[in-house]
Amino acid sequence: MRIYLIRHGKTEANERRLYCGSTDLPLSRQGAAELAQLHYDIQNVRFLTSGMKRTNETLRILFGDVFYEEAPQFREVDFGIFEMHSYEELKDIPAYQAWLTGDNEGNIPPGGESGAQMKERVLEAFSRIQEDTVVITHGGVISAILEHLFPGENKSRYEWQPEPGRGYAIQDGHYRRIP
């Protein structure tokens, strides 16, 4: 079985360095233009997206008008009250400082979900994939999957996270970056 994990293209939130998980943003003009320069030659697969505008738009730009299913379990972590704010905007807020301190996987942002909660949701959905599949999803989701599948790599989530529009192919217990 082949599984392709591809991160959506850039959004305004990526460009402005804002926390964006549950906010349903479209691609930015730059993000769409950058995706149009990429080429994927992947055929005879099932297509899944997280159902967010940015993942659905990425799918259409990269693969055209193909049939796809939406799987909301592959959505990014919900940053709660920190959504659509930058580090600079939040750095002096006690709730933000508490969220960043200590257990980065277990801490829950007010009104959001923890990294551990997101990972549990994602891995449960990932375990149900039974055929060659392309999943157009989010950087944190891809990182959580790869961190789980390849713990011996000793990479952090940030080291696993691909650039927008790029990702990984997984087959036979191995991975490679794509495109």
Side-chain angles (χ1 to χ4, degrees):
M1 181 170 59
R2 297 170 297 145
I3 299 176
Y4 302 91
L5 302 172
I6 300 173
R7 184 179 178 192
H8 64 79
K10 282 184 189 169
T11 66
E12 176 188 348
N14 297 126
E15 293 167 1
R16 294 178 50 207
R17 302 182 57 88
L18 306 177
Y19 288 100
C20 180
S22 62
T23 304
D24 196 10
L25 293 181
L27 297 173
S28 68
R29 285 189 185 147
Q30 179 183 352
E34 289 173 356
L35 288 174
Q37 302 301 311
L38 298 176
H39 177 70
Y40 284 94
D41 185 21
I42 302 172
Q43 300 171 23
N44 302 316
V45 296
R46 176 185 183 202
F47 289 97
L48 294 175
T49 73
S50 71
M52 306 292 277
K53 290 175 187 173
R54 56 195 181 263
T55 60
N56 293 348
E57 291 173 2
T58 296
L59 175 82
R60 282 191 288 280
I61 292 170
L62 293 178
F63 297 98
D65 188 23
V66 297
F67 175 79
Y68 69 95
E69 300 166 70
E70 295 181 354
Q73 301 88 340
F74 288 108
R75 290 186 177 185
E76 184 63 276
V77 68
D78 182 346
F79 293 106
I81 66 170
F82 306 138
E83 278 280 324
M84 298 306 291
H85 293 284
S86 68
Y87 169 81
E88 286 300 317
E89 293 171 323
L90 298 169
K91 67 181 179 183
D92 296 324
I93 297 172
Y96 179 71
Q97 293 168 356
W99 176 60
L100 288 181
T101 305
D103 183 1
N104 291 334
E105 283 299 300
N107 289 348
I108 302 173
E113 69 180 328
S114 71
Q117 289 169 325
M118 180 269 288
K119 185 174 184 176
E120 181 179 336
R121 163 175 53 81
V122 166
L123 293 178
E124 195 278 322
F126 185 78
S127 73
R128 292 193 315 256
I129 295 176
Q130 300 291 318
E131 60 193 294
D132 294 352
T133 303
V134 170
V135 182
I136 309 290
T137 187
H138 309 268
V141 170
I142 293 170
S143 298
I145 293 168
L146 291 169
E147 188 178 52
H148 173 75
L149 292 177
F150 303 102
E153 296 278 328
N154 293 317
K155 291 183 180 180
S156 73
R157 288 241 177 121
Y158 301 105
E159 292 172 298
W160 280 118
Q161 193 166 87
E163 293 296 315
R166 301 182 185 284
Y168 295 89
I170 302 167
Q171 186 175 9
D172 298 326
H174 301 283
Y175 70 88
R176 65 179 169 83
R177 288 185 176 269
I178 56 173

